[in-house]
Amino acid sequence: MTQRQFITMVTICFLVLLNSGCNQGENSIGVEPSGSIASTSVPQVPEDFLLTLDYKVQNHPDTFAVEVPQNWEVKLGEYPVGLYWRLANEFSKDAGLDLTLLKGATVEVQRYSLVDGLPGSGEQKEFSYPSNLVLLVQSGNTVGAWLEFNIQSIGPSIKKRSLTDITGFTFEEWTKREGLFAKEGENGDLASLGHFELLDAFFQAIQVGNHTRARACLNPNALLTALTVNRQEHQLYNPGFGGENALSESIVEAKPTSYKVMDYDTGSEIKDIGDRTTLNIVVDLYMKSLNPVFNTPDGRETRFAVLTKHANGWKIGGFGTGP
């Protein structure tokens, strides 16, 4: 027997002993907390990988195939598929599984619903939210793993660690470190615009149907939301920008009449924004949405825009219907 065969046999014996202590319910799979994380030194089939985790999951996962793109570059205004994979990889690497090894490959997705969900954070930590465990499987072995908090979020890791826990950066800081959205192309002029001018540029782009330019006015968080909001079954992320998942596509006509920077705490107008990097702006406008359900009878609306300042200028985080 070679040394490699001996090590493999010992590992298999360990897994058999570990599995013998599992409690399998009729509607779930789970184990008593062990604190262990699957090792990548020996390939593991999903069933064995699940047994190393502290989660109870529904027996039958949502299963489908996905092609991992070869190119993870993210250009401003283009659909940020690379953002999904870079972010998922941060969480998967926390489990010892590097997704960059899968570039260009087609893998199986096994998405399990967590029986107990995941707790929120801060004031919401006492509440449980429906969440999923995502496994990527290739040649029968687990090659990727992370969680989907509240079903549509990318992350946390299977150790319940956030992006900041893993990298030491906030999402915005991480996108800058990764060089995401840095290549502006023909929309590089947006970086020099003031906050009101950026809103003008966004609405003008909507009016003429220049969706790429409209998307270039959105901040990384808005683009992250476009990846998974209203995601359909058998998908890791939406196939592209659309009226149900992207601000730039959900508005078909918009003509602003006035802007006002607002202090939400006092409700008063701010004349001098100083060195603020986040602004709340009251926008009065005529607007027509792709979904007529959201249109007012005369088209006149007041929206509350959130703008954030980045290395490439002001960007829009979203338009709310109230402060």
Side-chain angles (χ1 to χ4, degrees), residues 196-256:
F196 291 158
E197 294 173 324
L198 189 279
L199 285 169
D200 281 338
F202 175 78
F203 292 129
Q204 289 167 6
I206 293 293
Q207 285 295 110
V208 300
N210 188 343
H211 292 287
T212 299
R213 185 169 177 81
R215 298 165 195 152
C217 295
L218 304 180
N219 73 11
N221 263 310
L223 295 166
L224 174 64
T225 298
L227 283 167
T228 57
V229 68
N230 293 323
R231 180 190 66 198
Q232 301 300 306
E233 291 185 2
H234 306 305
Q235 293 179 342
L236 280 179
Y237 46 85
N238 292 309
F241 289 109
E244 297 299 317
N245 69 305
L247 179 64
S248 54
E249 264 65 21
S250 64
I251 305 173
V252 295
E253 188 175 356
K255 298 176 183 178

Side-chain angles (χ1 to χ4, degrees), residues 22-32 47 50-51 53-61 112-117:
C22 297
N23 294 324
Q24 293 196 17
E26 188 171 304
N27 298 315
S28 64
I29 304 172
V31 297
E32 292 301 314
E47 291 80 3
L50 286 170
L51 292 170
L53 306 180
D54 296 342
Y55 302 105
K56 291 183 178 179
V57 301
Q58 298 296 334
N59 275 329
H60 303 292
Y112 295 83
S113 175
L114 299 184
V115 173
D116 299 321

Side-chain angles (χ1 to χ4, degrees), residues 8-300:
T8 301
M9 180 174 292
V10 171
T11 302
I12 293 173
C13 291
F14 171 76
L15 289 174
V16 170
L17 289 172
L18 179 65
N19 294 353
S20 65
C22 297
N23 294 324
Q24 293 196 17
E26 188 171 304
N27 298 315
S28 64
I29 304 172
V31 297
E32 292 301 314
S34 64
S36 60
I37 293 297
S39 169
T40 58
S41 60
V42 177
Q44 289 186 300
V45 298
E47 291 80 3
D48 289 342
F49 187 88
L50 286 170
L51 292 170
T52 68
L53 306 180
D54 296 342
Y55 302 105
K56 291 183 178 179
V57 301
Q58 298 296 334
N59 275 329
H60 303 292
D62 183 20
T63 303
F64 54 95
V66 66
E67 182 178 349
V68 183
Q70 183 70 46
N71 182 6
W72 292 6
E73 183 180 5
V74 181
K75 296 181 180 179
L76 195 64
E78 295 184 0
Y79 196 62
V81 172
L83 171 62
Y84 182 93
W85 289 102
R86 285 174 183 249
L87 191 56
N89 195 37
E90 295 288 4
F91 296 117
S92 189
K93 286 190 299 182
D94 202 40
L97 301 168
D98 188 350
L99 304 184
T100 61
L101 304 176
L102 307 177
K103 285 186 175 182
T106 296
V107 298
E108 181 182 77
V109 177
Q110 294 186 8
R111 182 160 55 206
Y112 295 83
S113 175
L114 299 184
V115 173
D116 299 321
L118 290 173
S121 59
E123 296 179 354
Q124 284 75 44
K125 64 181 179 181
E126 60 185 270
F127 302 104
S128 180
Y129 294 83
S131 301
N132 300 322
L133 166 66
V134 175
L135 300 185
L136 299 188
V137 180
Q138 185 182 50
S139 301
N141 294 314
T142 306
V143 291
W146 63 92
L147 299 174
E148 292 177 333
F149 172 74
N150 206 14
I151 295 180
Q152 295 184 333
S153 294
I154 308 168
S157 74
I158 60 173
K159 298 180 184 180
K160 297 183 182 178
R161 299 214 304 162
S162 69
L163 182 66
T164 302
D165 293 332
I166 296 168
T167 68
F169 295 102
T170 64
F171 173 69
E172 291 76 12
E173 293 169 339
W174 175 81
T175 58
K176 183 178 179 180
R177 184 197 72 172
E178 293 290 301
L180 303 176
F181 311 107
K183 294 186 178 181
E184 299 170 328
E186 62 184 14
N187 294 304
D189 64 299
L190 296 174
S192 63
L193 301 183
H195 49 288
F196 291 158
E197 294 173 324
L198 189 279
L199 285 169
D200 281 338
F202 175 78
F203 292 129
Q204 289 167 6
I206 293 293
Q207 285 295 110
V208 300
N210 188 343
H211 292 287
T212 299
R213 185 169 177 81
R215 298 165 195 152
C217 295
L218 304 180
N219 73 11
N221 263 310
L223 295 166
L224 174 64
T225 298
L227 283 167
T228 57
V229 68
N230 293 323
R231 180 190 66 198
Q232 301 300 306
E233 291 185 2
H234 306 305
Q235 293 179 342
L236 280 179
Y237 46 85
N238 292 309
F241 289 109
E244 297 299 317
N245 69 305
L247 179 64
S248 54
E249 264 65 21
S250 64
I251 305 173
V252 295
E253 188 175 356
K255 298 176 183 178
T257 56
S258 68
Y259 301 130
K260 180 174 69 174
V261 180
M262 175 183 175
D263 185 325
Y264 275 178
D265 293 330
T266 64
S268 59
E269 181 178 3
I270 298 173
K271 295 292 186 180
D272 181 6
I273 67 169
D275 59 356
R276 288 178 173 83
T277 56
T278 299
L279 298 177
N280 300 303
I281 301 178
V282 181
V283 182
D284 291 322
L285 75 166
Y286 169 84
M287 189 173 81
K288 184 178 180 181
S289 297
L290 184 64
N291 188 336
V293 171
F294 300 113
N295 293 332
T296 61
D298 63 358
R300 300 293 173 183

